[in-house]
Short mmCIF file of all heavy atoms in Angstrom, two decimals:
data_model
loop_
_atom_site.label_atom_id
_atom_site.label_comp_id
_atom_site.label_asym_id
_atom_site.label_seq_id
_atom_site.Cartn_x
_atom_site.Cartn_y
_atom_site.Cartn_z
N MET A 1 8.78 8.20 9.29
CA MET A 1 7.35 8.20 9.52
C MET A 1 7.01 7.00 10.50
O MET A 1 7.35 5.86 10.14
CB MET A 1 6.57 8.16 8.26
CG MET A 1 5.10 8.20 8.35
SD MET A 1 4.33 8.21 6.79
CE MET A 1 3.63 9.90 6.85
N ALA A 2 6.52 7.21 11.56
CA ALA A 2 6.16 6.23 12.60
C ALA A 2 5.27 5.16 12.09
O ALA A 2 5.46 3.95 12.38
CB ALA A 2 5.67 6.83 13.84
N GLN A 3 4.24 5.62 11.35
CA GLN A 3 3.33 4.55 10.80
C GLN A 3 3.94 3.51 9.90
O GLN A 3 3.73 2.44 9.91
CB GLN A 3 2.18 5.28 10.13
CG GLN A 3 1.00 4.41 9.78
CD GLN A 3 -0.21 5.11 9.38
OE1 GLN A 3 -0.11 6.24 8.99
NE2 GLN A 3 -1.39 4.44 9.41
N ALA A 4 4.85 4.03 9.07
CA ALA A 4 5.61 3.12 8.17
C ALA A 4 6.44 2.19 8.94
O ALA A 4 6.46 0.99 8.61
CB ALA A 4 6.45 3.97 7.20
N ARG A 5 7.12 2.63 10.00
CA ARG A 5 7.90 1.81 10.79
C ARG A 5 7.08 0.73 11.49
O ARG A 5 7.43 -0.51 11.53
CB ARG A 5 8.70 2.55 11.82
CG ARG A 5 9.56 1.77 12.73
CD ARG A 5 10.34 2.58 13.75
NE ARG A 5 9.80 3.90 13.84
CZ ARG A 5 10.55 4.99 14.04
NH1 ARG A 5 11.87 4.88 14.13
NH2 ARG A 5 9.95 6.14 14.19
N GLY A 6 5.96 1.12 11.94
CA GLY A 6 4.95 0.14 12.55
C GLY A 6 4.51 -0.94 11.56
O GLY A 6 4.36 -2.11 11.94
N LEU A 7 4.36 -0.47 10.29
CA LEU A 7 3.88 -1.46 9.29
C LEU A 7 5.07 -2.44 8.95
O LEU A 7 4.78 -3.60 8.85
CB LEU A 7 3.56 -0.75 8.02
CG LEU A 7 2.25 0.02 8.01
CD1 LEU A 7 2.25 1.03 6.88
CD2 LEU A 7 1.09 -0.92 7.96
N LEU A 8 6.25 -1.96 9.02
CA LEU A 8 7.39 -2.84 8.83
C LEU A 8 7.57 -3.88 9.96
O LEU A 8 7.84 -5.12 9.64
CB LEU A 8 8.76 -2.05 8.66
CG LEU A 8 8.91 -1.36 7.32
CD1 LEU A 8 10.14 -0.38 7.45
CD2 LEU A 8 8.97 -2.35 6.20
N GLU A 9 7.32 -3.34 11.10
CA GLU A 9 7.50 -4.28 12.23
C GLU A 9 6.28 -5.36 12.25
O GLU A 9 6.50 -6.51 12.73
CB GLU A 9 7.41 -3.52 13.59
CG GLU A 9 8.71 -2.63 13.76
CD GLU A 9 8.65 -1.72 14.90
OE1 GLU A 9 7.50 -1.57 15.58
OE2 GLU A 9 9.63 -1.05 15.07
N GLY A 10 5.17 -5.03 11.75
CA GLY A 10 3.97 -5.94 11.76
C GLY A 10 3.88 -6.84 10.65
O GLY A 10 3.16 -7.72 10.63
N ASP A 11 4.60 -6.44 9.50
CA ASP A 11 4.46 -7.30 8.23
C ASP A 11 5.79 -7.36 7.60
O ASP A 11 6.23 -6.47 6.92
CB ASP A 11 3.40 -6.64 7.36
CG ASP A 11 3.12 -7.53 6.14
OD1 ASP A 11 3.81 -8.53 5.87
OD2 ASP A 11 2.10 -7.21 5.42
N ALA A 12 6.52 -8.51 7.77
CA ALA A 12 7.85 -8.66 7.16
C ALA A 12 7.80 -8.84 5.64
O ALA A 12 8.79 -8.60 5.03
CB ALA A 12 8.49 -9.95 7.75
N ALA A 13 6.61 -8.99 5.02
CA ALA A 13 6.57 -9.09 3.58
C ALA A 13 6.73 -7.71 2.88
O ALA A 13 7.01 -7.74 1.77
CB ALA A 13 5.26 -9.73 3.17
N LEU A 14 6.46 -6.64 3.64
CA LEU A 14 6.55 -5.28 3.07
C LEU A 14 8.00 -4.76 3.03
O LEU A 14 8.69 -4.96 3.96
CB LEU A 14 5.71 -4.26 3.82
CG LEU A 14 4.23 -4.35 3.75
CD1 LEU A 14 3.56 -3.29 4.63
CD2 LEU A 14 3.72 -4.17 2.30
N SER A 15 8.34 -4.22 1.89
CA SER A 15 9.63 -3.58 1.87
C SER A 15 9.47 -2.12 2.55
O SER A 15 8.30 -1.75 2.83
CB SER A 15 10.05 -3.35 0.39
OG SER A 15 9.26 -2.38 -0.27
N ALA A 16 10.53 -1.43 2.71
CA ALA A 16 10.42 -0.09 3.36
C ALA A 16 9.77 0.85 2.49
O ALA A 16 8.93 1.63 2.86
CB ALA A 16 11.89 0.41 3.61
N ARG A 17 9.97 0.74 1.13
CA ARG A 17 9.23 1.59 0.16
C ARG A 17 7.86 1.31 0.20
O ARG A 17 6.99 2.21 0.20
CB ARG A 17 9.80 1.30 -1.19
CG ARG A 17 9.26 2.25 -2.22
CD ARG A 17 9.80 1.93 -3.59
NE ARG A 17 11.23 2.30 -3.62
CZ ARG A 17 12.03 2.51 -4.64
NH1 ARG A 17 11.48 2.37 -5.74
NH2 ARG A 17 13.34 2.68 -4.50
N ASP A 18 7.37 0.00 0.24
CA ASP A 18 5.92 -0.34 0.27
C ASP A 18 5.30 0.16 1.54
O ASP A 18 4.20 0.70 1.60
CB ASP A 18 5.75 -1.84 0.14
CG ASP A 18 5.99 -2.42 -1.22
OD1 ASP A 18 6.29 -1.61 -2.20
OD2 ASP A 18 6.10 -3.66 -1.38
N ALA A 19 5.98 0.03 2.66
CA ALA A 19 5.45 0.56 3.93
C ALA A 19 5.23 1.96 3.88
O ALA A 19 4.19 2.50 4.40
CB ALA A 19 6.39 0.16 5.09
N LEU A 20 6.14 2.71 3.25
CA LEU A 20 5.95 4.16 3.13
C LEU A 20 4.77 4.54 2.23
O LEU A 20 3.91 5.36 2.63
CB LEU A 20 7.21 4.88 2.56
CG LEU A 20 7.23 6.37 2.49
CD1 LEU A 20 7.01 6.95 3.89
CD2 LEU A 20 8.52 6.86 1.84
N HIS A 21 4.60 3.85 1.13
CA HIS A 21 3.50 4.01 0.27
C HIS A 21 2.12 3.80 1.09
O HIS A 21 1.14 4.59 0.93
CB HIS A 21 3.50 3.17 -0.98
CG HIS A 21 4.52 3.62 -1.97
ND1 HIS A 21 5.45 2.81 -2.51
CD2 HIS A 21 4.70 4.90 -2.56
CE1 HIS A 21 6.17 3.48 -3.37
NE2 HIS A 21 5.74 4.68 -3.41
N VAL A 22 2.09 2.62 1.75
CA VAL A 22 0.93 2.40 2.56
C VAL A 22 0.67 3.43 3.66
O VAL A 22 -0.49 3.88 3.76
CB VAL A 22 1.07 0.98 3.14
CG1 VAL A 22 -0.13 0.74 4.19
CG2 VAL A 22 1.04 -0.14 2.10
N ALA A 23 1.73 3.88 4.29
CA ALA A 23 1.47 4.86 5.34
C ALA A 23 0.93 6.19 4.78
O ALA A 23 0.02 6.81 5.37
CB ALA A 23 2.85 5.15 6.07
N VAL A 24 1.44 6.60 3.64
CA VAL A 24 0.91 7.73 3.00
C VAL A 24 -0.59 7.60 2.55
O VAL A 24 -1.37 8.44 2.84
CB VAL A 24 1.77 8.12 1.77
CG1 VAL A 24 1.07 9.21 0.97
CG2 VAL A 24 3.13 8.63 2.24
N CYS A 25 -0.88 6.45 2.02
CA CYS A 25 -2.26 6.16 1.59
C CYS A 25 -3.21 6.15 2.80
O CYS A 25 -4.29 6.71 2.68
CB CYS A 25 -2.41 4.83 0.99
SG CYS A 25 -1.67 4.78 -0.77
N LEU A 26 -2.74 5.54 3.90
CA LEU A 26 -3.59 5.64 5.02
C LEU A 26 -3.79 6.97 5.70
O LEU A 26 -4.80 7.43 6.06
CB LEU A 26 -2.99 4.64 6.08
CG LEU A 26 -3.05 3.16 5.78
CD1 LEU A 26 -2.25 2.32 6.78
CD2 LEU A 26 -4.50 2.67 5.68
N GLU A 27 -2.60 7.81 5.64
CA GLU A 27 -2.73 9.15 6.12
C GLU A 27 -3.67 10.06 5.36
O GLU A 27 -4.35 10.79 5.95
CB GLU A 27 -1.26 9.79 6.07
CG GLU A 27 -1.13 11.16 6.56
CD GLU A 27 -1.28 11.27 8.04
OE1 GLU A 27 -1.05 10.28 8.79
OE2 GLU A 27 -1.67 12.35 8.49
N VAL A 28 -3.76 9.89 4.10
CA VAL A 28 -4.59 10.76 3.25
C VAL A 28 -5.92 10.10 3.01
O VAL A 28 -6.74 10.66 2.34
CB VAL A 28 -3.91 11.18 1.88
CG1 VAL A 28 -2.65 11.99 2.19
CG2 VAL A 28 -3.68 9.96 1.05
N ARG A 29 -6.08 8.95 3.60
CA ARG A 29 -7.38 8.17 3.50
C ARG A 29 -7.67 7.91 2.07
O ARG A 29 -8.91 8.07 1.64
CB ARG A 29 -8.47 8.96 4.18
CG ARG A 29 -8.26 9.10 5.66
CD ARG A 29 -9.45 9.63 6.40
NE ARG A 29 -9.15 9.63 7.84
CZ ARG A 29 -9.26 10.69 8.56
NH1 ARG A 29 -9.75 11.87 8.05
NH2 ARG A 29 -9.12 10.54 9.90
N ALA A 30 -6.74 7.37 1.33
CA ALA A 30 -6.97 7.08 -0.07
C ALA A 30 -7.84 5.90 -0.15
O ALA A 30 -7.81 4.99 0.66
CB ALA A 30 -5.60 6.70 -0.77
N GLU A 31 -8.71 5.89 -1.25
CA GLU A 31 -9.69 4.77 -1.36
C GLU A 31 -8.95 3.49 -2.00
O GLU A 31 -9.46 2.35 -1.69
CB GLU A 31 -10.75 5.19 -2.34
CG GLU A 31 -11.59 6.25 -1.73
CD GLU A 31 -12.81 6.57 -2.67
OE1 GLU A 31 -13.11 5.81 -3.49
OE2 GLU A 31 -13.32 7.70 -2.58
N ALA A 32 -7.90 3.70 -2.65
CA ALA A 32 -7.23 2.56 -3.31
C ALA A 32 -5.77 2.99 -3.70
O ALA A 32 -5.48 4.18 -3.75
CB ALA A 32 -7.90 2.11 -4.57
N LEU A 33 -4.95 1.95 -3.98
CA LEU A 33 -3.61 2.14 -4.33
C LEU A 33 -3.43 1.43 -5.72
O LEU A 33 -3.81 0.31 -5.78
CB LEU A 33 -2.67 1.54 -3.31
CG LEU A 33 -1.21 1.69 -3.63
CD1 LEU A 33 -0.46 2.27 -2.46
CD2 LEU A 33 -0.57 0.36 -3.93
N CYS A 34 -2.96 2.12 -6.69
CA CYS A 34 -2.86 1.53 -7.99
C CYS A 34 -1.47 1.01 -8.13
O CYS A 34 -0.52 1.78 -8.19
CB CYS A 34 -3.07 2.65 -9.12
SG CYS A 34 -3.11 1.98 -10.81
N SER A 35 -1.38 -0.33 -8.39
CA SER A 35 -0.04 -0.94 -8.36
C SER A 35 -0.24 -2.42 -8.94
O SER A 35 -1.24 -3.12 -8.71
CB SER A 35 0.55 -1.06 -6.99
OG SER A 35 1.75 -1.72 -6.99
N PHE A 36 0.84 -2.80 -9.56
CA PHE A 36 0.88 -4.31 -9.93
C PHE A 36 1.45 -5.10 -8.81
O PHE A 36 1.34 -6.36 -8.84
CB PHE A 36 1.91 -4.46 -11.20
CG PHE A 36 1.32 -3.94 -12.38
CD1 PHE A 36 1.95 -2.88 -13.06
CD2 PHE A 36 0.32 -4.58 -13.02
CE1 PHE A 36 1.51 -2.34 -14.21
CE2 PHE A 36 -0.20 -4.14 -14.24
CZ PHE A 36 0.50 -3.06 -14.83
N ASP A 37 2.04 -4.52 -7.70
CA ASP A 37 2.66 -5.24 -6.64
C ASP A 37 1.55 -5.93 -5.70
O ASP A 37 0.89 -5.11 -4.98
CB ASP A 37 3.47 -4.11 -5.84
CG ASP A 37 4.39 -4.77 -4.76
OD1 ASP A 37 4.16 -6.02 -4.44
OD2 ASP A 37 5.21 -4.06 -4.29
N ARG A 38 1.53 -7.24 -5.74
CA ARG A 38 0.60 -7.85 -4.88
C ARG A 38 1.01 -7.91 -3.45
O ARG A 38 0.12 -8.47 -2.60
CB ARG A 38 0.47 -9.36 -5.44
CG ARG A 38 -0.21 -9.40 -6.86
CD ARG A 38 -0.54 -10.83 -7.20
NE ARG A 38 -1.30 -10.71 -8.54
CZ ARG A 38 -1.02 -11.38 -9.57
NH1 ARG A 38 0.05 -12.13 -9.58
NH2 ARG A 38 -1.66 -11.20 -10.64
N ASP A 39 2.05 -7.45 -3.00
CA ASP A 39 2.48 -7.45 -1.59
C ASP A 39 1.42 -6.53 -0.88
O ASP A 39 1.29 -6.63 0.31
CB ASP A 39 3.86 -6.85 -1.45
CG ASP A 39 4.98 -7.90 -1.86
OD1 ASP A 39 4.58 -9.04 -1.98
OD2 ASP A 39 6.09 -7.45 -2.01
N PHE A 40 0.79 -5.57 -1.59
CA PHE A 40 -0.20 -4.72 -0.95
C PHE A 40 -1.56 -5.40 -0.59
O PHE A 40 -2.31 -4.96 0.12
CB PHE A 40 -0.46 -3.52 -1.80
CG PHE A 40 0.68 -2.56 -1.91
CD1 PHE A 40 1.31 -2.38 -3.25
CD2 PHE A 40 1.20 -1.86 -0.95
CE1 PHE A 40 2.36 -1.54 -3.38
CE2 PHE A 40 2.34 -1.05 -1.06
CZ PHE A 40 2.83 -0.89 -2.36
N ASP A 41 -1.75 -6.60 -1.25
CA ASP A 41 -3.04 -7.23 -1.03
C ASP A 41 -3.33 -7.66 0.37
O ASP A 41 -4.47 -7.58 0.77
CB ASP A 41 -3.11 -8.56 -1.97
CG ASP A 41 -3.22 -8.17 -3.50
OD1 ASP A 41 -3.48 -7.00 -3.71
OD2 ASP A 41 -2.98 -9.10 -4.28
N GLY A 42 -2.46 -7.97 1.22
CA GLY A 42 -2.71 -8.43 2.55
C GLY A 42 -2.62 -7.34 3.56
O GLY A 42 -2.76 -7.58 4.75
N VAL A 43 -2.59 -6.11 3.13
CA VAL A 43 -2.40 -4.99 4.13
C VAL A 43 -3.84 -4.51 4.45
O VAL A 43 -4.60 -4.08 3.53
CB VAL A 43 -1.58 -3.82 3.51
CG1 VAL A 43 -1.52 -2.63 4.45
CG2 VAL A 43 -0.20 -4.32 3.15
N ALA A 44 -4.17 -4.50 5.66
CA ALA A 44 -5.41 -3.98 6.20
C ALA A 44 -5.64 -2.47 5.82
O ALA A 44 -4.68 -1.69 6.03
CB ALA A 44 -5.54 -4.19 7.69
N GLY A 45 -6.80 -2.10 5.38
CA GLY A 45 -7.11 -0.67 5.06
C GLY A 45 -6.66 -0.30 3.68
O GLY A 45 -6.84 0.86 3.33
N ILE A 46 -6.01 -1.22 2.91
CA ILE A 46 -5.52 -0.88 1.60
C ILE A 46 -6.23 -1.69 0.54
O ILE A 46 -6.25 -2.97 0.70
CB ILE A 46 -4.06 -1.04 1.44
CG1 ILE A 46 -3.29 0.02 2.36
CG2 ILE A 46 -3.50 -0.86 -0.01
CD1 ILE A 46 -3.52 1.44 1.92
N ARG A 47 -6.82 -1.11 -0.53
CA ARG A 47 -7.37 -1.93 -1.58
C ARG A 47 -6.51 -1.60 -2.82
O ARG A 47 -6.30 -0.48 -3.23
CB ARG A 47 -8.83 -1.46 -1.86
CG ARG A 47 -9.41 -2.16 -3.01
CD ARG A 47 -10.85 -1.86 -3.08
NE ARG A 47 -11.07 -0.43 -3.46
CZ ARG A 47 -11.22 0.06 -4.76
NH1 ARG A 47 -11.06 -0.77 -5.76
NH2 ARG A 47 -11.43 1.30 -4.94
N ARG A 48 -5.92 -2.53 -3.35
CA ARG A 48 -4.97 -2.48 -4.56
C ARG A 48 -5.85 -2.68 -5.78
O ARG A 48 -6.66 -3.53 -5.91
CB ARG A 48 -3.87 -3.55 -4.50
CG ARG A 48 -2.86 -3.46 -5.58
CD ARG A 48 -1.88 -4.49 -5.57
NE ARG A 48 -2.46 -5.84 -5.86
CZ ARG A 48 -2.61 -6.38 -7.06
NH1 ARG A 48 -2.30 -5.66 -8.11
NH2 ARG A 48 -3.21 -7.60 -7.11
N VAL A 49 -5.54 -1.73 -6.75
CA VAL A 49 -6.21 -1.84 -7.97
C VAL A 49 -5.11 -2.04 -9.16
O VAL A 49 -4.13 -1.33 -9.06
CB VAL A 49 -6.94 -0.53 -8.26
CG1 VAL A 49 -7.60 -0.57 -9.64
CG2 VAL A 49 -8.06 -0.35 -7.27
N GLU A 50 -5.28 -2.98 -9.95
CA GLU A 50 -4.35 -3.17 -11.06
C GLU A 50 -4.48 -1.99 -12.03
O GLU A 50 -5.56 -1.51 -12.37
CB GLU A 50 -4.72 -4.46 -11.87
CG GLU A 50 -4.37 -5.75 -11.09
CD GLU A 50 -3.07 -6.22 -11.22
OE1 GLU A 50 -2.36 -5.82 -12.23
OE2 GLU A 50 -2.62 -7.08 -10.47
N PRO A 51 -3.33 -1.44 -12.56
CA PRO A 51 -3.40 -0.39 -13.53
C PRO A 51 -4.22 -0.63 -14.62
O PRO A 51 -4.98 0.28 -15.16
CB PRO A 51 -1.98 -0.14 -13.79
CG PRO A 51 -1.10 -0.57 -12.58
CD PRO A 51 -2.00 -1.79 -12.13
N GLY A 52 -4.26 -1.80 -15.18
CA GLY A 52 -5.17 -2.15 -16.35
C GLY A 52 -6.56 -2.13 -16.10
O GLY A 52 -7.36 -2.09 -17.03
N ASP A 53 -6.91 -2.21 -14.80
CA ASP A 53 -8.39 -2.21 -14.45
C ASP A 53 -8.96 -0.81 -14.37
O ASP A 53 -10.14 -0.69 -14.21
CB ASP A 53 -8.63 -2.88 -13.18
CG ASP A 53 -8.24 -4.39 -13.22
OD1 ASP A 53 -8.23 -4.92 -14.34
OD2 ASP A 53 -8.04 -4.98 -12.17
N LEU A 54 -8.21 0.23 -14.51
CA LEU A 54 -8.68 1.66 -14.46
C LEU A 54 -9.22 1.94 -15.85
O LEU A 54 -8.62 1.80 -16.80
CB LEU A 54 -7.53 2.59 -14.03
CG LEU A 54 -6.95 2.35 -12.69
CD1 LEU A 54 -5.79 3.39 -12.48
CD2 LEU A 54 -7.98 2.59 -11.53
N HIS A 55 -10.34 2.61 -15.78
CA HIS A 55 -10.97 3.06 -17.00
C HIS A 55 -11.36 4.55 -16.89
O HIS A 55 -11.75 5.06 -15.99
CB HIS A 55 -12.24 2.29 -17.27
CG HIS A 55 -11.95 0.82 -17.38
ND1 HIS A 55 -12.53 0.04 -18.38
CD2 HIS A 55 -11.08 -0.06 -16.78
CE1 HIS A 55 -12.08 -1.24 -18.23
NE2 HIS A 55 -11.18 -1.27 -17.31
#
């Protein structure tokens, strides 16, 4: 997926798996990503939600 590759080139902190998750979220226009992984916090267009914060 080209978008994931672009994310990897632009942000060295993201792993390949994280970049793929972000690319999918952006593609489907997800409102948030539920994860304990704080590496998602600095990604533009992604709002990370802690699993414990879901009600």
Side-chain angles (χ1 to χ4, degrees):
M1 181 175 250
Q3 190 168 17
R5 182 179 14 219
L7 288 163
L8 284 173
E9 292 170 355
D11 188 349
L14 284 179
S15 69
R17 183 180 298 198
D18 288 351
L20 184 58
H21 285 127
V22 169
V24 169
C25 287
L26 294 173
E27 180 70 24
V28 300
R29 297 185 176 130
E31 292 182 24
L33 180 128
C34 183
S35 177
F36 289 112
D37 189 345
R38 291 191 173 126
D39 289 342
F40 294 115
D41 289 346
V43 179
I46 294 295
R47 181 174 62 91
R48 183 183 66 87
V49 177
E50 291 270 342
D53 293 341
L54 297 176
H55 299 221

